């Protein structure tokens, strides 16, 4: 069985115009994000393609990337619509080391967990991004656009 040599994960950055740029070796080029199957693993097997749809790099697991590259990719994924769009926050409970979320999304009711030290990150175009312990991404619109209960539950996180 042929096993290709391990390839270093690309360095990913957001360019000033907001495009995702992949740096492989000494070459930097803008890329678009394409999810591969299985879709049940949103943080795995992400194809980065150039303008001609040629694969520049394959990210086997987002967690393999350096923190700055992971952040750039997650923001690009949020912009590309690879995230659950939260429409309402129903409940947030804290336990030791874990925060439990109950939310409504455009895709239906979801519950997920985040670590207590993981906070929603502001997105450049507005709103916030949350990454759960399983690697799924959730986009929250601007809190003032949400209902009163959602705003009250989110106030402590995005005040």
């Amino acid at each position: 069985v042929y096993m290709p040599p391990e390839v270093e994960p690309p360095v990913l950055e957001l360019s000033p115009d907001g495009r995702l740029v992949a740096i492989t070796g000494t070459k930097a080029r803008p890329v678009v994000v394409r999810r591969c199957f299985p879709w049940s693993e949103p943080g795995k097997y992400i194809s980065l393609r150039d303008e001609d749809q040629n694969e520049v790099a394959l990210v086997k697991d987002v967690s393999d990337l350096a923190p700055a590259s992971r952040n750039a990719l997650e923001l690009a994924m949020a912009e590309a619509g690879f995230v659950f769009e939260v429409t309402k926050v129903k409940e947030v409970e804290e336990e030791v080391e874990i925060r439990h979320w109950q939310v409504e999304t455009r895709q239906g009711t979801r519950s997920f967990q985040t670590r207590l030290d993981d906070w929603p990150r502001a997105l450049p175009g507005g709103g916030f991004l949350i990454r759960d312990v399983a690697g799924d991404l959730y986009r929250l619109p601007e809190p003032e656009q949400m209902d009163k209960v959602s705003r009250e539950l989110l106030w402590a996180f995005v005040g």
Side-chain angles (χ1 to χ4, degrees):
V1 174
Y2 172 73
M3 294 294 288
E6 280 300 311
V7 178
E8 280 293 312
V11 173
L12 303 173
E13 306 177 339
L14 289 176
S15 66
D17 65 1
R19 292 189 298 171
L20 184 65
V21 175
I23 303 164
T24 53
T26 60
K27 196 169 188 178
R29 54 189 150 182
V31 293
V32 293
V33 180
R34 296 286 181 259
R35 278 184 56 192
C36 303
F37 287 102
W39 284 1
S40 60
E41 297 282 350
K44 296 187 180 193
Y45 302 104
I46 299 161
S47 179
L48 304 176
R49 298 172 183 239
D50 65 16
E51 60 189 20
D52 296 322
Q53 294 302 310
N54 296 315
E55 189 168 87
V56 171
L58 178 68
V59 176
K60 290 181 183 176
D61 193 325
V62 173
S63 64
D64 293 340
L65 297 172
S69 290
R70 182 172 53 242
N71 187 50
L73 180 59
E74 287 176 349
L75 292 173
M77 289 170 65
E79 291 300 314
F82 291 179
V83 298
F84 293 100
E85 188 78 21
V86 176
T87 56
K88 182 178 185 175
V89 179
K90 295 164 66 174
E91 187 176 37
V92 181
E93 292 183 357
E94 292 186 1
E95 287 184 14
V96 178
E97 308 268 334
I98 293 287
R99 190 173 290 121
H100 298 274
W101 298 75
Q102 294 282 333
V103 299
E104 290 291 330
T105 71
R106 294 192 192 285
Q107 297 88 354
T109 301
R110 302 274 304 177
S111 62
F112 62 92
Q113 298 176 330
T114 59
R115 292 182 184 88
L116 284 181
D117 57 354
D118 284 346
W119 296 90
R121 291 186 307 219
L123 291 169
F128 295 86
L129 186 68
I130 298 173
R131 185 173 206 262
D132 74 6
V133 295
D136 290 335
L137 298 172
Y138 294 82
R139 183 183 182 283
L140 297 164
E142 294 287 346
E144 59 270 7
Q145 296 174 5
M146 300 184 86
D147 66 278
K148 184 176 192 255
V149 171
S150 296
R151 286 193 312 267
E152 289 173 355
L153 288 168
L154 289 172
W155 182 85
F157 306 111
V158 299

